[in-house]
Amino acid sequence: MKLAYWMYAGPAHIGTLRIASSFKNVHAIMHAPLGDDYFNVMRSMLERERNFTPVTASVVDRNVLARGSQEKVVNNITRKDQEEHPDLIVLTPTCTSSILQEDLQNFVSRAQMDTQGDVLLADVNHYRYNELQAADRTLHQIVKYYIEKAGKKGELITEKTEQPSVNIIGISTLGFHNQHDCTELKRLMADLGITVNEVLPDGASVHNLKNLTRAWFNLVPYRELGLMTAKYLESEFAIPYVDISPLGVVETARCIRKIQQIINDQGKTVDYEEYINNQTLYVSQAAWFSRSIDCQNLTGKKAVVFGDNTHAAAITKILAREMGIQVVLAGTYCKYDADWFREQVSEYCDEVLISDDNAEIANAIAKHEPAAIFGTQMERHVGKRLDIPCGVIAAPIHIQNFPIGYKPFMGYEGTNQIADLVYNSFTLGMEDHLLEIFGGHDTKEVITKGISADSDLNWDKEAKAELAKVPGFVRGKVKRNTEKFARDRNFSEITLEVMYAAKESVGA
Amino acid sequence: MTVAQEPSALNFECETGNYHTFCPISCVAWLYQKIEDSFFLVIGTKTCGYFLQNAMGVMIFAEPRYAMAELEEGDISAQLNDYEELKRLCLQIKRDRNPSVIVWIGTCTTEIIKMDLEGLAPRLEAEIGIPIVTARANGLDYAFTQGEDTVLAAMAHKCPTQAPKLEAEKEERNAISKLMNFGRKKEEVKQAESEYKDHPPLVLFGSLPDPVVTNLTLELKKQGVKVSGWLPSKRFTELPVIEEGYYTAGVNPFLSRTATTLMRRRKTKLIGAPFPIGPDGTRAWIEKICSVFNIEPQGLEEREAKIWESLEDYIQLIRGKSVFFMGDNLLEVSLARFLIRCGMTCQEIGIPYMDKRYQKAELDLLEKTCKDMGVPVPTIVEKPDNYNQIQRIYAQKPDLVITGMAHANPLEARGINTKWSVEFTFAQIHGFTNARDILELATRPMRRNNNLKELGWEKLVKEEAKI
């Protein structure tokens, strides 16, 4: 058992449902107790979805516990088949139903005999995978199923399209800014003269999966979702894939160069260097921003980055490489893929943190006292408590992270959005401090569980007054340094002299 | 017919139970705030934790006094010892928060693996020195607000049986009144007591925000009825004394287990009344309590009339309109009764679970209200089927659908007005004063429509191709 207040990645079935409900005309049936269908609430609220979320529950209640589901699951599948005529029904186990160890595969086979559409059982172990891993697996499972089906019927089209074409794999419902990223990626492909063959899974139809093999290559913009599918397509049909997230100016260029190489390898000569140059220097404002005085002022400022693998790694590189900001800590909650993260960021940050314990992250932030945080909604709240501004760069997210306006993170427009996000976070922080220096609010102290603001040391009147004169954003640090100095030398009272001695000893 | 069957015009149906509602563990969200010295430990899986995290929204960031004991594979396969694991976590909670009570919320998983929480609790309680209350608020058996019912039923066992008596003050019958009068002079206390009529002690049950508790307590005080205690109280250490023969009354329609426990295990007498939701319900509730104690209620009719008068501007917006309850929180019958009294018609009351005995007085009042207002009685659909309900909504085209968030946006996109049902659970809706709040919620889509009516954007989904 583990004491937990908050989790970064949801349970496995959420990942499966995100895939199923991203597809067009695919219905998911959860084998779950009453109340486990809150996925529908999340989708309806966060995405402001106009249509009913195609997820229903085959309710596990006392009777099911006593006698097993028997006909119930089968009936629910066939009923949904008649009501909505979906192309595919995905039966989704939950953590509860997986302990019951019912033979769900058997229900699926039986239901399949009476349904027009196809029926699949999501092959996901609830106690081993989280939301992200489950989504990756489910997408792979569905793609594999339809490719094999088409292969058996001889309907698979392996002939490549005439012009270079791409499958964009990994755009899904409830993904962080996925809709906007998708639009931006399509625009980028159009600029490069590449046709978009299929987008997966969002808005895709299972009937079109047999066309996947026509693409020249696959683009997997997110580390967390789509890699399994891309690797499958590579091993079965030798379709190469690009897994460089086009996030930030340098990475976008790297992604495009990789695409260029892949296309050239397949016998068509393309040269994107001029496009990259033009976009970098004149279309995206990010490169110019790096040179501008605004950004110069950010040089050497400290930041902490935390999020999923894709976004935390990319933002770390952007801050360090493109803006000259010192990333004191970069972290991810994707523990299962920690090696990749370490390899990506280790040269761009002072310290790497792999953890899904929000208290550990909060304490690390308190310890570093960065000028800005880039993290999830949880880090935003930590920032609020510590008076440190925070830009949200990754899920878990709230409704305000599903903006109506066009806000991609990827591609060249994405670089502009990120520059704004970074700059606004830092200037807000600066403004706050200027206010404090000239206006003066009450002393604000750092309150966290790890580092207590209380101390056993006595500050005499003069020292206290002197401390109050220190600007707010470094006051906490001066206080702690002084106390550490006093404790090391067994002073019980802090006077002006002790303060100055401490200051001299740290050389600041 | 020779058999004396009770004539009831109400039509009860039961569907498949394929409906959307919140998991009953959500009750920790309002109960931890209500019981200030408590800590709620939900023993379940990631699925439970993710639900709480998403359903509670920003509350999760306020360092709440609740947490998950997240079960891992070793717990499921019994490679780890339940007792040792729970002890470790509870000691950690004791060290960090030092609560006066730890409430264990059993979930679907603890049911299926048959973790004996009720058996483990007394042992652990003795070992760590903090009371442990066990409630099985799981989605296998219960819906949404019934979670509170399971917690309060478990708490009812922990209420003290006897007021502690002191030598010098033997005449003091009630510990609570003594506490409340602490420090006051004897004469003042006597004077305060004389404001009340002589009646057996009354304990109310149901968790309400403190302002509503004060409000209802004062309404009864005006009639000379004294509330000796309230289950739950602000603090676990202040749970009311419940002796055999006390009277109890519920304030919410979903508290049938608590009512049963108080009657059978604590030997109290239950006052079956409509619930104090809406001015009509509040009046009926007070009248019923008074009648049990042989008290002639004073000035209630005028008070009710005055409230109705003040609601007129809101009632104008909904009079003659129709409402459809999809059903998810068990407040449906009381709300429907109130809205029908406001002049609405109601085609269907969906409800997760219908306890016809506990809700008897409320159902009778619903029937009477329909007769008085000259509208047909609604069908009460227990364990509704959301899919079928949506077909009926398309057919009947109600002016307002009260429903969960899963259906609200899709229905709005199809030009059907909705009100999110969960708001009724968290808003203050009890007593005379709060009737306006109910209508504030119920009329909001109508007011929105009035503001936007010029625009002509009602149906915002493309017509689906007919197959």
Side-chain angles (χ1 to χ4, degrees):
Chain A
M1 271 179 221
K2 202 173 85 179
L3 198 63
Y5 298 87
W6 166 267
M7 59 188 79
Y8 284 97
H13 71 269
I14 297 285
T16 297
L17 296 180
R18 275 177 56 187
I19 298 303
S21 58
S22 291
F23 275 105
K24 222 166 35 192
N25 212 22
V26 171
H27 201 100
I29 294 184
M30 302 168 67
H31 188 235
L34 199 64
D36 271 2
D37 57 350
Y38 58 85
F39 176 79
N40 299 31
V41 178
M42 288 170 60
R43 187 154 182 273
S44 176
M45 282 188 83
L46 297 176
E47 297 255 37
R48 281 180 216 91
E49 187 48 62
R50 298 178 201 213
N51 288 312
F52 292 98
T53 300
V55 174
T56 43
S58 174
V59 178
V60 174
D61 56 16
R62 281 282 156 194
N63 290 332
V64 172
L65 282 200
R67 306 176 305 142
S69 295
Q70 297 189 352
E71 299 303 313
K72 199 171 185 179
V73 175
V74 177
N75 288 346
N76 276 318
I77 295 174
T78 47
R79 178 184 159 187
K80 204 37 81 182
D81 184 62
Q82 282 156 21
E83 283 167 358
E84 314 249 337
H85 311 290
D87 297 324
L88 168 69
I89 291 177
V90 180
L91 181 63
T92 313
T94 58
C95 54
T96 309
S97 72
S98 65
I99 321 170
L100 291 176
Q101 303 199 320
E102 286 194 270
D103 189 357
L104 296 177
Q105 188 56 56
N106 175 35
F107 295 152
V108 164
S109 324
R110 275 169 52 205
Q112 180 69 83
M113 291 189 276
D114 298 321
T115 54
Q116 297 289 310
D118 299 309
V119 190
L120 271 182
L121 172 68
D123 174 25
V124 169
N125 181 323
H126 260 262
Y127 292 91
R128 303 211 173 140
Y129 302 121
N130 69 16
E131 170 187 349
L132 304 170
Q133 294 161 288
D136 202 21
R137 295 179 76 86
T138 305
L139 182 60
H140 168 243
Q141 192 188 355
I142 293 175
V143 168
K144 187 167 173 237
Y145 177 83
Y146 279 98
I147 295 243
E148 282 175 0
K149 191 178 169 188
K152 268 183 219 151
K153 285 189 183 171
E155 288 174 350
L156 208 58
I157 313 163
T158 43
E159 193 191 332
K160 297 283 170 212
T161 54
E162 214 164 292
Q163 291 301 311
S165 61
V166 61
N167 299 317
I168 300 175
I169 303 179
I171 308 291
S172 88
T173 186
L174 291 173
F176 181 74
H177 291 244
N178 270 204
Q179 303 302 325
H180 308 298
D181 282 348
C182 184
T183 310
E184 186 63 21
L185 290 175
K186 281 182 184 164
R187 186 182 288 178
L188 179 65
M189 292 306 129
D191 282 356
L192 299 177
I194 299 169
T195 359
V196 176
N197 188 49
E198 292 289 335
V199 175
L200 278 189
D202 199 63
S205 158
V206 291
H207 299 308
N208 291 355
L209 294 179
K210 60 175 182 287
N211 297 334
L212 282 176
T213 41
R214 302 192 68 205
W216 288 35
F217 71 102
N218 291 317
L219 175 61
V220 184
Y222 306 106
R223 174 77 191 168
E224 292 77 18
L225 177 56
L227 262 189
M228 269 184 90
T229 309
K231 283 181 180 159
Y232 163 76
L233 291 169
E234 186 190 43
S235 69
E236 292 290 311
F237 303 98
I239 306 175
Y241 65 88
V242 178
D243 62 348
I244 302 164
S245 306
L247 265 157
V249 179
V250 178
E251 290 297 292
T252 303
R254 209 159 72 85
C255 176
I256 296 174
R257 288 195 183 104
K258 176 83 193 192
I259 291 172
Q260 173 181 300
Q261 182 213 325
I262 282 176
I263 293 176
N264 287 341
D265 285 350
Q266 292 180 53
K268 173 153 177 155
T269 320
V270 288
D271 182 4
Y272 295 138
E273 284 307 325
E274 202 194 318
Y275 174 79
I276 294 172
N277 198 38
N278 192 47
Q279 290 285 324
T280 305
L281 296 184
Y282 310 115
V283 177
S284 160
Q285 299 292 321
W288 157 235
F289 173 75
S290 316
R291 287 294 300 179
S292 70
I293 297 300
D294 294 335
C295 194
Q296 205 183 89
N297 286 337
L298 300 182
T299 306
K301 288 232 177 296
K302 293 201 294 185
V304 167
V305 180
F306 192 82
D308 59 9
N309 266 356
T310 305
H311 292 92
I315 297 291
T316 302
K317 290 182 199 166
I318 292 171
L319 293 177
R321 192 163 56 184
E322 299 178 19
M323 295 180 180
I325 291 160
Q326 186 194 354
V327 179
V328 284
L329 179 83
T332 179
Y333 54 82
C334 298
K335 280 161 89 172
Y336 63 94
D337 197 15
D339 293 342
W340 180 86
F341 186 77
R342 259 197 213 95
E343 180 217 310
Q344 292 289 310
V345 302
S346 46
E347 60 176 304
Y348 300 107
C349 63
D350 303 346
E351 196 184 323
V352 175
L353 174 68
I354 311 286
S355 170
D356 55 6
D357 174 1
N358 66 291
E360 195 181 346
I361 293 131
N363 286 335
I365 293 173
K367 195 182 83 193
H368 285 289
E369 286 185 76
I373 311 166
F374 297 92
T376 71
Q377 279 291 338
M378 194 64 193
E379 283 67 51
R380 192 173 70 83
H381 282 263
V382 172
K384 258 188 182 169
R385 271 196 292 160
L386 301 177
D387 261 333
I388 302 171
C390 177
V392 175
I393 54 140
I397 37 184
H398 284 172
I399 192 147
Q400 67 262 42
N401 303 112
F402 289 88
I404 301 172
Y406 186 54
K407 293 218 158 50
F409 268 61
M410 297 198 158
Y412 286 108
E413 177 55 27
T415 62
N416 294 339
Q417 298 290 340
I418 294 171
D420 277 344
L421 180 78
V422 171
Y423 185 61
N424 289 347
S425 304
F426 278 108
T427 39
L428 282 177
M430 289 289 282
E431 241 170 69
D432 214 36
H433 297 147
L434 288 174
L435 264 178
E436 226 167 78
I437 292 167
F438 293 110
H441 302 294
D442 289 341
T443 318
K444 284 182 186 146
E445 287 174 340
V446 174
I447 309 158
T448 55
K449 270 195 279 173
I451 296 160
S452 168
D454 300 328
S455 67
D456 47 339
L457 290 159
N458 249 340
W459 288 67
D460 79 356
K461 221 169 128 194
E462 287 87 24
K464 237 185 228 163
E466 188 65 22
L467 183 68
K469 286 184 208 156
V470 177
F473 60 102
V474 286
R475 194 180 296 143
K477 192 192 274 177
V478 171
K479 181 164 186 255
R480 261 201 312 283
N481 282 344
T482 311
E483 287 179 353
K484 183 167 179 293
F485 175 84
R487 220 171 269 129
D488 290 347
R489 284 160 187 75
N490 286 325
F491 298 142
S492 61
E493 173 128 334
I494 293 175
T495 59
L496 272 180
E497 286 87 284
V498 178
M499 256 184 104
Y500 286 120
K503 192 178 172 191
E504 281 151 25
S505 86
V506 292
Chain B
M1 283 227 288
T2 47
V3 185
Q5 212 166 23
E6 204 166 313
S8 170
L10 290 170
N11 180 18
F12 293 93
E13 274 176 24
C14 185
E15 280 190 303
T16 61
N18 276 322
Y19 63 102
H20 169 76
T21 182
F22 273 8
C23 173
I25 59 172
S26 52
C27 69
V28 306
W30 64 88
L31 288 175
Y32 93 81
Q33 293 189 28
K34 174 70 194 180
I35 308 167
E36 290 169 359
D37 53 353
S38 62
F39 191 98
F40 284 78
L41 184 67
V42 181
I43 304 162
T45 60
K46 256 183 179 324
T47 306
C48 313
Y50 205 59
F51 164 69
L52 279 179
Q53 176 173 324
N54 282 292
M56 301 310 121
V58 289
M59 268 198 260
I60 202 102
F61 299 109
E63 291 225 16
R65 292 186 317 281
Y66 69 78
M68 291 291 308
E70 195 183 307
L71 300 170
E72 290 163 301
E73 214 167 0
D75 297 302
I76 305 297
S77 53
Q79 282 166 339
L80 298 165
N81 181 306
D82 299 340
Y83 183 78
E84 291 304 323
E85 291 294 300
L86 283 167
K87 183 175 151 191
R88 184 170 57 80
L89 300 193
C90 288
L91 282 173
Q92 192 181 336
I93 292 165
K94 185 184 177 184
R95 196 184 58 222
D96 293 349
R97 307 293 177 99
N98 196 26
S100 312
V101 60
I102 297 177
V103 183
W104 284 354
I105 303 287
T107 61
C108 303
T109 311
T110 57
E111 287 297 311
I112 295 172
I113 63 174
K114 304 207 188 317
M115 194 184 279
D116 181 21
L117 297 177
E118 279 91 349
L120 297 173
R123 273 171 64 200
L124 195 56
E125 194 173 83
E127 201 173 335
I128 67 171
I130 295 180
I132 295 172
V133 171
T134 311
R136 300 175 173 206
N138 62 68
L140 294 169
D141 301 307
Y142 305 109
F144 197 12
T145 49
Q146 287 180 291
E148 174 182 323
D149 194 22
T150 63
V151 174
L152 295 190
M155 289 237 172
H157 290 286
K158 299 271 179 181
C159 290
T161 42
Q162 234 179 357
K165 284 176 188 173
L166 287 179
E167 285 286 301
E169 294 171 301
K170 266 190 179 150
E171 70 276 22
E172 282 277 2
R173 284 191 45 192
N174 195 322
I176 299 295
S177 72
K178 203 173 68 195
L179 263 177
M180 296 214 307
N181 294 320
F182 183 75
R184 281 198 224 165
K185 284 194 196 118
K186 268 274 156 68
E187 300 89 87
E188 280 178 56
V189 173
K190 273 207 181 106
Q191 204 197 339
E193 289 290 329
S194 70
E195 287 172 32
Y196 295 109
K197 305 262 167 49
D198 189 30
H199 65 81
L202 170 70
V203 171
L204 301 179
F205 57 93
S207 163
L208 294 176
D210 293 331
V212 184
V213 168
T214 315
N215 190 276
L216 287 179
T217 309
L218 286 176
E219 291 293 352
L220 286 173
K221 191 180 172 192
K222 279 185 196 155
Q223 307 299 336
V225 175
K226 182 175 163 183
V227 179
S228 303
W230 201 294
L231 173 71
S233 330
K234 259 171 93 85
R235 302 179 68 82
F236 180 76
T237 47
E238 290 165 8
L239 277 181
V241 173
I242 298 179
E243 287 182 44
E244 191 172 331
Y246 274 28
Y247 279 79
T248 56
V251 296
N252 265 324
F254 45 76
L255 297 171
S256 49
R257 278 177 72 90
T258 311
T260 314
T261 309
L262 288 170
M263 282 192 293
R264 298 205 182 136
R265 310 296 298 270
R266 304 306 302 259
K267 312 278 184 235
T268 63
K269 292 170 187 153
L270 179 72
I271 301 174
F275 301 101
I277 293 168
D280 49 342
T282 309
R283 179 181 166 193
W285 183 70
I286 298 174
E287 277 177 351
K288 184 66 195 282
I289 292 172
C290 287
S291 81
V292 169
F293 292 146
N294 281 321
I295 295 169
E296 184 72 31
Q298 301 296 319
L300 270 185
E301 205 176 329
E302 298 78 41
R303 181 126 169 82
E304 193 198 345
K306 212 160 176 182
I307 298 289
W308 283 118
E309 214 172 287
S310 71
L311 298 178
E312 183 54 30
D313 54 337
Y314 273 165
I315 292 176
Q316 273 177 10
L317 294 166
I318 50 172
R319 190 173 282 137
K321 298 228 161 84
S322 56
V323 58
F324 188 110
F325 285 86
M326 285 187 78
D328 70 348
N329 60 15
L330 283 94
L331 294 170
E332 292 87 2
V333 174
S334 310
L335 288 173
R337 178 259 303 151
F338 167 60
L339 290 177
I340 290 171
R341 176 64 72 185
C342 290
M344 293 189 92
T345 55
C346 180
Q347 292 138 323
E348 174 165 337
I349 304 178
I351 188 167
Y353 168 71
M354 184 73 240
D355 186 333
K356 287 184 202 160
R357 278 164 61 188
Y358 177 63
Q359 293 222 41
K360 169 100 177 40
E362 184 63 86
L363 289 170
D364 291 346
L365 184 60
L366 171 70
E367 207 182 318
K368 182 177 171 296
T369 304
C370 290
K371 221 166 113 196
D372 291 351
M373 302 300 291
V375 297
V377 287
T379 305
I380 295 177
V381 181
E382 205 179 347
K383 289 166 144 256
D385 185 297
N386 281 166
Y387 183 85
N388 296 343
Q389 283 185 315
I390 286 167
Q391 309 310 313
R392 294 199 287 272
I393 287 171
Y394 288 159
Q396 295 167 356
K397 297 191 174 55
D399 296 302
L400 178 66
V401 176
I402 296 185
T403 179
M405 204 61 206
H407 298 117
N409 269 339
L411 286 173
E412 287 284 352
R414 283 156 183 77
I416 295 164
N417 295 315
T418 61
K419 185 76 219 108
W420 185 28
S421 55
V422 173
E423 284 190 71
F424 291 102
T425 328
F426 293 121
Q428 304 191 352
I429 60 168
H430 292 75
F432 286 121
T433 339
N434 291 321
R436 202 171 171 82
D437 289 53
I438 308 177
L439 288 182
E440 162 74 28
L441 291 176
T443 60
R444 200 175 289 159
M446 277 59 180
R447 286 180 285 133
R448 183 264 329 260
N449 290 354
N450 287 345
N451 292 337
L452 304 183
K453 69 181 163 202
E454 303 296 314
L455 296 170
W457 303 331
E458 276 170 22
K459 288 206 174 146
L460 292 160
V461 277
K462 292 182 187 146
E463 283 296 319
E464 288 142 36
K466 295 267 182 289
I467 304 164

